[in-house]
Amino acid sequence: MAEELDPRKLGSLNRLESLSEKDLKKVVSKGSHVRLPANWSLIWEKTPGDKAYLIVEGEVSVRKNKQEVTRLGPGDVIGEMAIVGHKLRSASVVSLTPVEVVHFTKEALTELLDDVPAFGEALRGTTEDRLGAPAE
């Protein structure tokens, strides 16, 4: 049986600090709390966008064509761009350390974006940081 994640732990993450306790509980309830070992492949390049992860603890490597392009950690969401953009994955993600994550199915993430606008804003902040601010 998976251990429950205290929603307050998410509130301490940089990107989610503006979410209310009610919103944090909703985020936790829509996902599955998972701990994964180092060197675990969470996402594979050029595959369909069927899941996303919110990193609670640990560090991951984002790789394109087997070359690291960035490292991400607590508060970052991975896998959302393929879901939101309805495209194949643009990169692979591998854990560099043991990681604690909240796993979201495509359906759960889509529901959260509709039900918790503040979570959507936090998610867009992660995406914009990675891609650069959108042109006005």
Side-chain angles (χ1 to χ4, degrees), residues 13-74:
L13 299 177
N14 182 26
R15 301 234 179 253
L16 303 180
E17 58 198 7
S18 65
L19 271 69
S20 69
E21 190 169 337
K22 178 182 174 188
D23 285 348
L24 290 170
K25 285 180 182 178
K26 194 171 281 190
V27 169
V28 169
S29 73
K30 290 285 185 187
S32 300
H33 181 226
V34 182
R35 292 179 189 272
L36 301 170
N39 300 313
W40 187 272
S41 293
L42 289 89
I43 289 175
W44 304 271
E45 192 171 1
K46 298 181 180 145
T47 60
D50 61 348
K51 62 187 168 197
Y53 297 92
L54 167 61
I55 303 170
V56 179
E57 286 183 8
E59 186 176 36
V60 300
S61 170
V62 179
R63 301 171 181 174
K64 288 188 178 192
N65 300 317
K66 300 182 182 176
Q67 296 294 315
E68 183 174 282
V69 293
T70 193
R71 291 183 177 198
L72 300 173

Side-chain angles (χ1 to χ4, degrees), residues 109-131:
L109 185 70
T110 302
E111 284 179 34
L112 271 175
L113 294 176
D114 290 338
D115 296 347
V116 184
F119 181 73
E121 288 175 29
L123 190 122
R124 281 186 288 283
T126 295
T127 304
E128 288 172 6
D129 284 353
R130 274 186 255 152
L131 298 177

